[in-house]
Amino acid sequence: MNLTPKEIVAYLDKYVIGQNAAKKTIALALRTRYRRMQLDETLQNEIMPKNILMIGSTGVGKTEISRRLAKMMSVPFIKVEASKYTEVGFVGRDVESMIRDLVVNSISIVKAEQEESNRDKIDNYVLNKIVEKLLPPLPESASESKKDDYQMLLSAMEKRVEAGEMDDKIITLDLAKLNIEFDDSGLPPEMAKVQESFSKVFASINKEDNTKEVSVKDAKSLLRQEASQKLLDTASVNAEALRRAENGGIIFLDEIDKIALSEKSSGRNDPSKEGVQRDLLPIVEGSSVSTKYGTINTDHILFIAAGAFHVSKPSDLIPELQGRFPLRVELESLTEETLYQILTQTQNSLLKQYIALLGVEGMTLTFEDEAIRAIAKLAHRANENTEDIGARRLHTVLENILEETSYDADEYSGKEFVITKDLVHSKLDEVVEDDDLSRYIL
Ligand SMILES: Nc1ncnc2c1ncn2[C@@H]1O[C@H](COP(=O)(O)OP(=O)(O)OP(=O)(O)O)[C@@H](O)[C@H]1O
Ligand SMILES: [Mg+2]
């Protein structure tokens, strides 16, 4: 989390081309949270996060930026779609559930950290249990020399288990029943409570141990779970997780334009859109939300909202909500050059994906640079002529070029296949030039 803004931008640069304004704003917001955490408590409480609104047409990298951030950061982070929620009182998920999801995310981060720090203990526990099963213990009455031999055997066995030589052996395990964890993220709070008491009942029914025949390999992972659960102090994990979600949590609210009420579509506006916006107000501004793990205050949670705002405008959001997203960044539309860079310079670009996929068939796929230029050019033209769907256009364009090749890949096993500029043009010229055709195909 203590990456500098420049480092965050540098990381994002590997995956998202351009959009520097957005990257900078977000990197700064993240750094500000880090700075705030270094201050003394009274000042900390005064400094509120400045929520961000990202505006940019479809397929220009809004969600991609957040997806990458989520992977990079070890702070509690969730990405939710605003359009998924309904007004309180209606059937569906209410907006408070996003805070609960954030806490759940935070808990899994803290748990993973604890497991990491308990790693040696867990490893030991697993090894001892397995060796115990593989080597029957020596009777108490055994002579000293027997005991020495046994020690030798024991350490030899430990080595073999660690090296995985015994993985196929079957042993009988007595496992303590693991706590039953329901995935309750979709439940409304009242149900979540009912379900919690259910888990308690189940836990008491399942008190008796269960005995299982498993391979050593499976035993390793089963025992690992058991050990980490035994070592975990649930109360302190929950407290730490709540604290982190409160102070460092980030919620990425995607598709926020879908809950704006636009004049154009006023005929079909469903009343719950405005309700959802109103329900969002207290959460974004700061309020207490009760979760299964304790109450959390949302004052310092950072919200990053994003939307294409094709049909509606940011000003179509209710004013109170607009005001709660003071930082606005716009994402640029993609040019031919950006499309080319997206194809060639991103870490797991589409081209690399196709090359890897067809590599499985033993086919060596290569793209001439001129061909890639042509792809970018045609994708850009298709965006201009029909709808601008940003980088997503590359998916359809590439699929069109490669479909046949991909189908016949088995014939090229061990051979090279070069995508040339001519091939690209022969596949696509007709489609791109013909508006009607490209509306259907690209
Ligand atoms: N600037 C970019 N650099 C690299 N890849 C990009 C860029 N913009 C878009 N992409 C790619 O295009 C696809 C769609 O992008 P993304 O999901 O970010 O769109 P979006 O801006 O969220 O659009 P929407 O408003 O429709 O949700 C992703 O696969 C992403 O990798
Ligand atoms: Mg998106």
Side-chain angles (χ1 to χ4, degrees), residues 195-220:
Q195 173 263 305
E196 215 174 313
S197 17
F198 262 124
S199 340
K200 276 182 198 140
V201 176
F202 274 125
S204 61
I205 293 177
N206 282 311
K207 266 277 148 43
E208 78 270 22
D209 282 351
N210 69 349
T211 313
K212 267 193 184 160
E213 301 235 316
V214 291
S215 67
V216 168
K217 192 169 180 199
D218 293 340
K220 282 180 185 167

Side-chain angles (χ1 to χ4, degrees), residues 15-19 56-65 67 254-255 307-308 334 342 346 391-392 395:
Y15 300 95
V16 180
I17 306 292
Q19 314 304 13
S57 61
T58 178
V60 297
K62 298 184 298 294
T63 306
E64 187 69 17
I65 289 181
R67 206 174 5 232
D254 211 350
E255 317 286 355
L334 304 177
I342 289 174
T346 48
R392 291 210 181 86
H395 291 255

Side-chain angles (χ1 to χ4, degrees), residues 123-151:
D123 282 347
N124 257 332
Y125 179 91
V126 174
L127 191 61
N128 282 340
K129 281 263 179 177
I130 291 177
V131 170
E132 215 171 73
K133 291 287 167 190
L134 290 169
L135 271 188
L138 212 55
E140 280 297 315
S141 55
S143 66
E144 279 305 313
S145 71
K146 275 256 171 67
K147 277 186 182 157
D148 284 348
D149 287 352
Y150 186 77
Q151 275 310 323

Side-chain angles (χ1 to χ4, degrees), residues 337-357:
E337 178 64 24
T338 350
L339 288 172
Y340 172 77
Q341 287 175 4
I342 289 174
L343 284 173
T344 50
Q345 288 172 19
T346 48
Q347 193 103 324
N348 5 12
S349 73
L350 277 177
L351 299 188
K352 286 184 193 154
Q353 291 174 20
Y354 274 108
I355 291 171
L357 280 173

Side-chain angles (χ1 to χ4, degrees), residues 9-207:
V9 171
Y11 171 84
L12 287 174
D13 278 344
K14 282 195 244 165
Y15 300 95
V16 180
I17 306 292
Q19 314 304 13
N20 290 322
K23 288 179 192 163
K24 252 176 149 169
T25 310
I26 289 183
L28 250 182
L30 295 182
R31 186 60 173 183
T32 306
R33 336 212 60 203
Y34 169 78
R35 291 176 187 157
R36 170 179 162 262
M37 292 309 286
Q38 313 307 313
L39 303 176
D40 68 59
E41 213 159 296
T42 40
L43 202 51
Q44 252 185 43
N45 288 333
E46 292 302 317
I47 301 177
M48 296 294 169
K50 292 209 174 50
N51 299 322
I52 301 169
L53 181 60
M54 291 208 286
I55 304 162
S57 61
T58 178
V60 297
K62 298 184 298 294
T63 306
E64 187 69 17
I65 289 181
S66 77
R67 206 174 5 232
R68 292 303 162 189
L69 281 178
K71 289 225 169 111
M72 170 189 78
M73 288 191 311
S74 52
V75 298
F77 181 105
I78 55 163
K79 172 176 113 52
V80 297
E81 279 79 43
S83 46
K84 256 187 0 194
Y85 296 91
T86 54
E87 195 175 346
V88 170
F90 282 74
V91 180
R93 286 159 71 68
D94 60 79
V95 291
E96 282 194 354
S97 67
M98 68 175 74
I99 305 292
R100 291 187 204 105
D101 292 347
L102 184 71
V103 175
V104 170
N105 175 274
S106 180
I107 286 190
S108 65
I109 292 175
V110 178
K111 262 191 187 163
E113 276 178 21
Q114 290 229 347
E115 257 160 47
E116 189 57 39
S117 65
N118 280 333
R119 201 196 195 108
D120 287 347
K121 279 191 206 156
I122 296 177
D123 282 347
N124 257 332
Y125 179 91
V126 174
L127 191 61
N128 282 340
K129 281 263 179 177
I130 291 177
V131 170
E132 215 171 73
K133 291 287 167 190
L134 290 169
L135 271 188
L138 212 55
E140 280 297 315
S141 55
S143 66
E144 279 305 313
S145 71
K146 275 256 171 67
K147 277 186 182 157
D148 284 348
D149 287 352
Y150 186 77
Q151 275 310 323
M152 300 264 284
L153 268 176
L154 204 65
S155 55
M157 184 57 93
E158 278 174 1
K159 289 220 175 68
R160 294 182 67 186
V161 171
E162 272 181 328
E165 286 171 30
M166 311 297 288
D167 276 0
D168 296 331
K169 278 251 181 317
I170 301 291
I171 54 174
T172 336
L173 273 192
D174 311 310
L175 287 172
K177 267 277 177 202
L178 298 176
N179 284 337
I180 300 173
E181 278 276 356
F182 288 99
D183 172 26
D184 57 358
S185 47
L187 289 177
E190 311 82 49
M191 280 306 287
K193 278 191 199 111
V194 175
Q195 173 263 305
E196 215 174 313
S197 17
F198 262 124
S199 340
K200 276 182 198 140
V201 176
F202 274 125
S204 61
I205 293 177
N206 282 311
K207 266 277 148 43

